[in-house]
Amino acid sequence: MTEKNDRLYLDHAASSPLRMCARQAWLNANQFPANPSSRHQDGMRASDLFSDARATVKLFLGDDYEVVFTSGGTESIILSVLGALSPTFEDVHLVATQIDHSAVLGLYARLEQLGVTITLIQPTRSGLIRPQDVERALQPNTHLVCMQHANNETGVIQPVEEVSRVIRQHKAILLIDAVQTAGKIPLATVDADLMAVSAHKFGGPRGIGALRIRPGLKLAPIIMGASHESGLRAGTENVAGAAGMAAAAEECMRNELSTTGKERIKQLRRYWEKGLAELEFECTLVSDAPTLSETICILIPGVRGDAVADGLDLLGISVGTGSACHASDFSPSHVLTSMGLERDAALSAIRISFGLNTTEEEIDRVMESLDLVVRRLRSIAGL
Ligand code: PLP
């Protein structure tokens, strides 16, 4: 097994490395013992840190909106869905998509038991949700439309602006799951009633996220009781988490979202694609639609993606797979099968997701390792 320091981490879409600035801000905030609700000076200092963090996250997400801190993407989405649909789940229609994150597909199943009717839109073979399909799914009692800004497995960027225009003609609320795009695409100008983000996907701490809310939109709380977060989330605030998230957001605005940052990411993407095209075995991108440059989902016919990922892992490289593994049962990804991929093709997927600090030398190392692993797996399979 390779030493920890030699490891190459290319699974940013699952969770990205904690930025130094976020770590510093988190440590700094934790030096203050206080609860931000306390009246003393320490309490006020904690309260100031929390307000500063909110102001920065608002700049990141759109200054005209409200921002509520949550524990992450899942909670932000669940607060949106339950908060927008409550108190009655009868005669309520929800539009969502088959490629939604598994964290929320389970929620939809529960909502159906409570009486909500749900239309799950199927993506195209490229993994796109078509605005006309959203329009067709709308009913007079559609309260909420949920869709991702970009998919976590394929990286495919959804036409959220067009969907938003379609929904504006209707009275439904639009929730955008921007967990994968925060720090990669500017969000402040994306028109949506609700937007969910998570700090650990853009170099902030795990366990903190935010929900952006259009002013005036009323949601019911899911953690109710005390009046924290405008009554939407009772409980002592995670000041250090918010400070870490804000520091990461600030760095993204300065680096990843700058013209030079975006150009560098595109350059790295081109280098990845060139390397993949030069491999001696067949290896195709899962989609030809516009995709996040940082997320590369490839299919390698004849081998299993989990076996490739395990082989790379032994060589010190962490990547993701398109399949969800449950002990001995390896199911193909619901995202890839909903795009119409056959089971074997879906099981052959791996996802490489990188960041601004990834280098060409590291990409070369992945290509060499991929070559080695896939050749071995193919020779074992007699191909
Ligand atoms: N939505 C998407 C698209 C995601 O990729 C994830 C995490 O993988 C989530 C939601 C859930 O976010 P969190 O891990 O912060 O709960």
Side-chain angles (χ1 to χ4, degrees), residues 13-14 71-75 77 101 103-104 148 150-152 177-180 197-201 207-209 351:
S71 65
T74 304
E75 186 189 323
I77 296 167
H101 195 264
V104 285
Q148 295 174 334
N151 182 259
N152 45 301
D177 170 358
V179 168
Q180 287 295 329
V197 297
S198 181
H200 74 107
K201 305 287 185 175
I208 181 94
R351 178 190 64 188

Side-chain angles (χ1 to χ4, degrees), residues 46-217:
S47 172
D48 286 349
L49 276 176
F50 197 58
S51 305
D52 290 350
R54 197 187 314 273
T56 305
V57 174
K58 280 182 77 166
L59 278 183
F60 185 56
L61 298 181
D63 214 15
D64 296 339
Y65 295 86
E66 310 295 340
V67 163
V68 166
F69 284 108
T70 63
S71 65
T74 304
E75 186 189 323
S76 296
I77 296 167
I78 291 178
L79 170 58
S80 302
V81 176
L82 293 182
L85 300 188
S86 300
T88 167
F89 296 110
E90 298 286 320
D91 192 31
V92 168
H93 178 239
L94 166 76
V95 175
T97 78
Q98 291 181 4
I99 55 173
D100 279 356
H101 195 264
S102 42
V104 285
L105 288 175
L107 171 68
Y108 301 154
R110 178 79 187 110
L111 285 174
E112 274 185 320
Q113 290 167 356
L114 294 172
V116 176
T117 48
I118 302 183
T119 304
L120 289 183
I121 298 173
Q122 188 178 6
T124 63
R125 170 59 186 82
S126 303
L128 277 170
I129 299 296
R130 300 184 319 157
Q132 57 268 44
D133 290 341
V134 176
E135 188 163 26
R136 218 168 288 132
L138 293 172
Q139 297 176 13
N141 63 343
T142 306
H143 273 41
L144 185 67
V145 176
C146 311
M147 72 182 287
Q148 295 174 334
H149 197 185
N151 182 259
N152 45 301
E153 291 183 32
T154 61
V156 170
I157 302 168
Q158 302 299 339
V160 289
E161 299 291 357
E162 281 170 79
V163 169
S164 167
R165 277 195 290 277
V166 163
I167 292 172
R168 288 287 152 256
Q169 321 290 324
H170 194 277
K171 58 180 183 344
I173 294 168
L174 175 63
L175 160 65
I176 299 292
D177 170 358
V179 168
Q180 287 295 329
T181 49
K184 302 187 181 100
I185 294 180
L187 295 176
T189 53
V190 175
D191 182 28
D193 301 292
L194 295 160
M195 180 183 282
V197 297
S198 181
H200 74 107
K201 305 287 185 175
F202 57 89
R206 278 168 282 278
I208 181 94
L211 178 62
R212 191 192 85 173
I213 307 174
R214 184 187 295 289
L217 179 69

